[in-house]
Amino acid sequence: MPNLLDKLNPQQREAVTTVYGPVLVLAGPGSGKTRVLTHRVAYLIREIGIPTHHIVAVTFTNKAAGEMRERVEDLLADRADGLQIGTFHAICARLLRVEAGMGTLPYNRDYAIYDTDDQLSLIKRILGELNVDTKKFQPGRILGAISNAKNELILPDDYPYGRDYFSEVVRRVYPAYQKRLIESNAMDFDDLLMQTVLLLRANETAREKYQRRYEHVMVDEFQDTNTAQYQLVKLLGKPQDNIFVVGDEDQGIYAFRGADYRNVMQFKTDYPAAHTILLEQNYRSTQIVLDTARAIIDRNRHRTPKALFTNREGGKRVSIYEAYSEADEGEYIATQIRRLIKTRGYRYRDFAIMYRTNAQSRTLEDAAVATGLPYRLIGGVAFYKRREIRDLLAYLKLVNNPDDSVSFQRIVNVPGRGIGEKSVSAFLAWAAGRGSGLASALQAAADGEILPITGRAGKSMAEFGQLICDLRALAEEGDLTLVFDEIIARTGYMIYLNESSTDTDDQIRERQENVSSLRGNISDKRDLALNDFLSDTALASDTDALDPNADAITLLTLHAAKGLEYPVVFITGIEEGLLPHSRSLSEPDAMAEERRLFYVGLTRARDEIHLTYAFRRTLYGDSMLSVPSRFLEDIPEELTEGVSPKIKSLKDRSGYQKSTTWESSGDRTPQRSAQTHSKVIPFPGRAAKDKAPEPQTKFKTGMKVFHATFGPGIVITSKRSGEDEEVEVRFDKVGFKRLSANFAKLTVL
């Protein structure tokens, strides 16, 4: 076998061979962290003699976990049996199924995993029962608050009293939501983490068992961990603390999911003796790409500086293009892609078009369609989110776990059986009154027990109960394909798809093909237990099924771009209010994350970066003049080409300078001025030192204001206009508006 260390640089070799104690690897983008992780696993097994079942390696996507396992098996010649490699959620799901089977949890081992749609359905039902107005208190916001609480390991009874009524609504919904989950023998994604931590904290036997099993704990993308995940790592790592974490504060972009990049710094505090290693050599990008990315991220504070370098010296300068509109932006990108394919020999799959918000994708898709460019959209309707797939999975979920009330309500009348909402509510109330759960009620219906509903609905409910019982008996034989085929045959689902749909013929065919694709997936995994198959589907992500060989341009958000790479990257909409997003303009920490997000996008590029912004953009129904992003100013001119005069003049506008000074607590040093920037270009015909100072504006960037008609908003820019002041505001309700301060009568909040 080849030496495991031969192809590693000195820092990588140090990371692989530092076997015992806590280790923190700060890995810049493209620095070979996956190589380090896989070689370290192989080194522990082959050179140190650690048994495979004593190692657990955790990452954040199924795709990354699969790739890691394949690489380890290649290095070890398939000697990886018993090795635990997976996502946090997948590893916790397996652990909890074992423990649930031993009676240590308030669930049995066939528990369901509710996805976001299942969770929202349950939240909506609870809000209805509590007579809460879902227009004022959006289910998604309430679910987000509950998710944040679980990520912070806050139990329903411990949810804090809030200062506003929204918090009080959450305090009422959270306990009811959790109670309903337990009654349905179901967990949501956050429960998988929280319940594992609670189990290990409270159950000494379970805690010691897993601490003995996992002598070495390895974690990828450590900057993306939340409180529950970090606590889980600490619990599993005791008492030997052989914890190896790889992260990069500069790539922490998932705060909205509860991730906290500060866990990297907290690790240093919790493990003061930790061995810290920097991986700064990049194996992906040109030096110009790296220098551009560093120019953006170096403005952030509270980070470990990294001198990223590569053997790919030089490279193509960053192209910056000002489009007139978003339509012009899309046409320009399509033209550039065709030109690069013709002149540089690229293929469609070598291009990625990235943007800050999903709403920006429409015009880019239009441009691709109009010019005949093949593309794939990441973040559209994912396969497992499609209606027909969700219907059929709901049948399988109910077969696996007949207490699953959300799946029951989804398909009890799909296809139509004449069972209306009142009948469903009456049946559920009857089931609850019996005190033995939904599963027992369905069995009673199948056995012919008198139901609280009569007529056609009662007869159909009894038949439905019998169907579920029959399918459960078939599932015990172990062939998932037979169960799936029986569902299709007994329900007439394909006929229902054809007859009940208002879709076009092409859309109907696509839905039928989706059903066939699901059957193929089930056939490939027919030997899995049903609950294991359902766990795999519940934990799937949009990027897991991404085919790297499909010859199509990739359209995706910057958040979805993490972990991917492309020869040529276009990043669009580099404008104030988009990137950085308007929600970050009054929050220094949020602005710092916007920089990290842009940095992640830039470092996906191997060869070329193209940045675009529009003079005027229509978004969310409003057409407005755009302001180029402050981030464009931070890129040194010697690294760029095609910079418009508009960008250059921005560097000397006092309004633009003011818009950056408030960032000092999270981004920049205080009171940044034109004189402190080496790249300032004065207006033509006048030296910078002779320029008369402009009158001060009343409204400052990031200021929160209120308008009698448009409601609350945040000031984006403001400039003097004679005796008046022209203010651009991003309103929560209506988007961007450009207003006269003398007439708008804005109130500062």
Side-chain angles (χ1 to χ4, degrees):
M1 280 188 186
N3 190 311
L4 290 172
L5 307 179
D6 282 349
K7 296 184 179 180
L8 303 180
N9 67 37
Q11 291 74 30
Q12 292 174 333
R13 193 176 299 119
E14 181 182 2
V16 167
T17 57
T18 305
V19 173
Y20 298 106
V23 180
L24 171 63
V25 177
L26 296 175
S31 60
K33 65 182 179 64
T34 303
R35 172 180 288 186
V36 166
L37 283 162
T38 54
H39 278 67
R40 179 181 172 84
V41 172
Y43 185 83
L44 291 176
I45 296 169
R46 200 172 92 185
E47 305 298 333
I48 307 300
I50 306 296
T52 55
H53 61 276
H54 284 321
I55 300 172
V56 60
V58 189
T59 186
F60 273 80
T61 68
N62 293 325
K63 182 181 178 183
E67 291 176 353
M68 193 182 299
R69 176 173 290 279
E70 287 178 7
R71 292 200 197 184
V72 171
E73 289 174 346
D74 287 343
L75 292 170
L76 294 174
D78 292 330
R79 290 169 45 204
D81 288 345
L83 179 64
Q84 284 265 30
I85 298 179
T87 65
F88 272 103
H89 292 91
I91 287 172
C92 287
R94 286 195 291 270
L95 185 154
L96 291 173
R97 289 212 189 276
V98 172
E99 295 303 316
M102 300 175 67
T104 55
L105 294 168
Y107 306 89
N108 67 49
R109 68 183 313 276
D110 293 331
Y111 65 81
I113 301 174
Y114 279 2
D115 62 19
T116 303
D117 290 334
D118 295 330
Q119 294 169 257
L120 286 172
S121 295
L122 188 53
I123 293 287
K124 290 174 184 176
R125 194 178 319 139
I126 293 170
L127 290 174
E129 294 169 357
L130 296 175
N131 294 316
V132 175
D133 187 346
T134 56
K135 292 182 179 179
K136 290 184 179 179
F137 302 96
Q138 298 174 352
R141 280 193 67 207
I142 292 173
L143 180 59
I146 292 173
S147 176
N148 289 337
K150 290 185 176 184
N151 287 335
E152 294 297 322
L153 302 174
I154 299 172
L155 297 174
D157 292 342
D158 299 327
Y159 194 83
Y161 288 90
R163 298 179 181 178
D164 53 27
Y165 191 59
F166 175 80
S167 298
E168 291 307 305
V169 170
V170 176
R171 286 191 73 251
R172 294 169 61 196
V173 173
Y174 186 9
Y177 171 75
Q178 200 64 21
K179 179 174 180 290
R180 199 69 60 84
L181 283 173
I182 293 173
E183 290 174 349
S184 297
N185 191 32
M187 297 190 207
D188 60 23
F189 294 131
D190 301 311
D191 277 328
L192 295 174
L193 303 174
M194 184 175 75
Q195 294 295 338
T196 304
V197 173
L198 295 177
L199 170 71
L200 296 180
R201 281 180 174 177
N203 190 313
E204 183 178 358
T205 301
R207 181 173 64 251
E208 291 181 353
K209 176 173 69 174
Y210 290 104
Q211 287 176 346
R212 285 195 304 271
R213 177 176 300 177
Y214 300 133
E215 293 180 7
H216 290 266
V217 179
M218 303 170 60
V219 184
D220 190 14
E221 305 288 5
F222 190 65
Q223 76 281 346
D224 293 335
T225 54
N226 57 35
T227 297
Q229 289 161 335
Y230 187 23
Q231 291 302 314
L232 178 62
V233 170
K234 292 177 68 176
L235 281 165
L236 291 177
K238 295 294 182 182
Q240 58 272 9
D241 287 340
N242 293 328
I243 302 174
F244 181 91
V245 300
V246 182
D248 182 7
E249 311 105 310
D250 295 336
Q251 297 185 68
I253 60 173
Y254 296 124
F256 69 96
R257 296 180 186 170
D260 190 346
Y261 76 97
R262 292 172 297 186
N263 282 347
V264 174
M265 293 173 279
Q266 186 63 42
F267 187 87
K268 296 179 182 179
T269 301
D270 292 343
Y271 302 97
H275 191 68
T276 301
I277 302 165
L278 263 64
L279 300 184
E280 298 174 301
Q281 183 171 358
N282 180 284
Y283 293 91
R284 174 191 302 156
S285 307
T286 67
Q287 191 63 50
I288 281 184
V289 169
L290 299 181
D291 290 346
T292 301
R294 282 193 60 190
I296 297 299
I297 203 63
D298 281 351
R299 300 285 187 181
N300 274 358
R301 301 171 64 186
H302 310 301
R303 55 181 293 271
T304 303
K306 301 174 193 68
L308 301 179
F309 69 95
T310 177
N311 291 332
R312 298 186 64 196
E313 297 180 359
K316 189 179 183 303
R317 293 197 294 175
V318 175
S319 169
I320 301 178
Y321 176 77
E322 179 187 54
Y324 175 74
S325 65
E326 70 275 11
D328 178 38
E329 184 179 53
E331 292 172 6
Y332 167 78
I333 292 172
T335 300
Q336 292 304 306
I337 289 174
R338 287 201 172 282
R339 178 183 65 81
L340 290 169
I341 288 174
K342 183 177 180 180
T343 61
R344 303 283 298 278
Y346 287 121
R347 301 181 65 177
Y348 293 121
R349 68 187 184 202
D350 295 329
F351 297 90
I353 306 174
M354 302 175 186
Y355 35 83
R356 177 63 177 83
T357 67
N358 279 309
Q360 293 169 253
S361 71
R362 182 186 59 80
T363 53
L364 298 169
E365 289 185 77
D366 289 345
V369 170
T371 55
L373 295 177
Y375 72 93
R376 55 185 175 180
L377 178 67
I378 296 177
V381 181
F383 179 76
Y384 289 111
K385 300 291 185 183
R386 297 172 188 263
R387 187 193 78 199
E388 60 277 12
I389 302 304
R390 291 186 59 79
D391 285 346
L392 294 169
L393 287 178
Y395 271 100
L396 291 172
K397 288 178 182 179
L398 195 60
V399 169
N400 183 62
N401 172 25
D403 283 317
D404 184 350
S405 62
V406 170
S407 294
F408 167 79
Q409 289 186 272
R410 181 179 181 92
I411 46 88
V412 67
N413 200 41
V414 175
R417 298 181 175 91
I419 305 175
E421 290 186 13
K422 289 185 178 179
S423 296
V424 172
S425 297
F427 183 80
L428 288 172
W430 176 72
R434 298 174 81 252
S436 53
L438 179 59
S440 175
L442 287 170
Q443 182 67 59
D447 292 342
E449 191 169 324
I450 297 175
L451 303 179
I453 50 180
T454 59
R456 181 189 175 192
K459 182 175 182 293
S460 295
M461 187 65 76
E463 292 172 350
F464 181 78
Q466 187 62 56
L467 171 65
I468 298 303
C469 290
D470 292 347
L471 291 170
R472 281 179 61 78
L474 186 61
E476 290 178 0
E477 297 180 13
D479 190 328
L480 297 185
T481 311
L482 289 178
V483 178
F484 183 81
D485 290 345
E486 189 71 4
I487 291 170
I488 297 294
R490 291 273 294 270
T491 64
Y493 191 83
M494 300 302 281
I495 298 172
Y496 158 76
L497 262 189
N498 187 57
E499 293 182 349
S500 67
S501 179
T502 58
D503 295 338
T504 65
D505 289 344
D506 286 343
Q507 289 170 324
I508 291 172
R509 277 194 295 272
E510 182 180 354
R511 292 191 185 281
Q512 292 171 340
E513 289 169 0
N514 289 337
V515 173
S516 297
S517 179
L518 177 61
R519 187 188 187 281
N521 189 15
I522 289 173
S523 181
D524 290 341
K525 301 179 180 180
R526 63 197 305 162
D527 294 330
L528 278 181
L530 180 53
N531 58 19
D532 290 335
F533 170 77
L534 292 171
S535 291
D536 286 351
T537 60
L539 299 173
S541 68
D542 286 355
T543 56
D544 288 342
L546 191 61
D547 180 3
N549 297 315
D551 196 21
I553 299 160
T554 303
L555 274 63
L556 71 170
T557 65
L558 287 163
H559 280 103
K562 185 77 172 292
L564 303 176
E565 60 180 76
Y566 301 88
V568 184
V569 167
F570 288 82
I571 305 179
T572 68
I574 316 293
E575 301 152 25
E576 292 290 296
L578 273 180
L579 188 67
H581 197 278
S582 59
R583 288 193 297 267
S584 71
L585 297 179
S586 60
E587 298 291 339
D589 286 344
M591 181 63 73
E593 179 145 335
E594 292 293 299
R595 284 190 177 280
R596 294 195 292 271
L597 188 58
F598 190 28
Y599 173 81
V600 166
L602 293 170
T603 54
R604 299 310 93 194
R606 294 205 291 263
D607 303 333
E608 298 186 26
I609 296 172
H610 298 257
L611 307 178
T612 66
Y613 65 95
F615 172 74
R616 174 181 293 276
R617 185 176 297 276
T618 300
L619 201 61
Y620 308 115
D622 290 324
S623 179
M624 68 210 79
L625 296 179
S626 300
V627 177
S629 171
R630 67 193 68 195
F631 297 161
L632 292 174
E633 183 203 12
D634 295 327
I635 303 174
E637 288 179 32
E638 62 268 20
L639 301 180
T640 67
E641 62 182 16
V643 182
S644 75
K646 184 175 182 180
I647 293 292
K648 292 182 178 180
S649 66
L650 268 172
K651 298 181 180 182
D652 199 50
R653 279 187 206 159
S654 61
Y656 187 80
Q657 293 159 13
K658 291 186 183 76
S659 77
T660 61
T661 57
W662 65 268
E663 295 178 22
S664 58
S665 62
D667 251 349
R668 305 183 179 203
T669 53
Q671 299 302 316
R672 184 171 176 273
S673 66
Q675 284 72 27
T676 63
H677 195 283
S678 62
K679 296 295 180 184
V680 171
I681 298 179
F683 285 113
R686 179 184 292 176
K689 64 180 180 179
D690 297 328
K691 189 175 68 171
E694 295 185 12
Q696 293 294 308
T697 57
K698 174 183 177 182
F699 298 98
K700 313 295 183 186
T701 297
M703 187 178 284
K704 296 181 179 180
V705 295
F706 182 85
H707 186 276
T709 301
F710 304 137
I714 295 177
V715 174
I716 304 299
T717 60
S718 186
K719 63 180 180 180
R720 300 295 303 181
S721 179
E723 297 299 317
D724 198 358
E725 189 172 337
E726 188 177 288
V727 188
E728 186 174 9
V729 181
R730 173 67 167 87
F731 290 102
D732 295 346
K733 296 180 180 178
V734 298
F736 286 92
K737 295 290 182 182
R738 186 162 288 178
L739 306 169
S740 161
N742 289 347
F743 293 97
K745 298 181 180 178
L746 294 170
T747 303
V748 178
L749 298 178

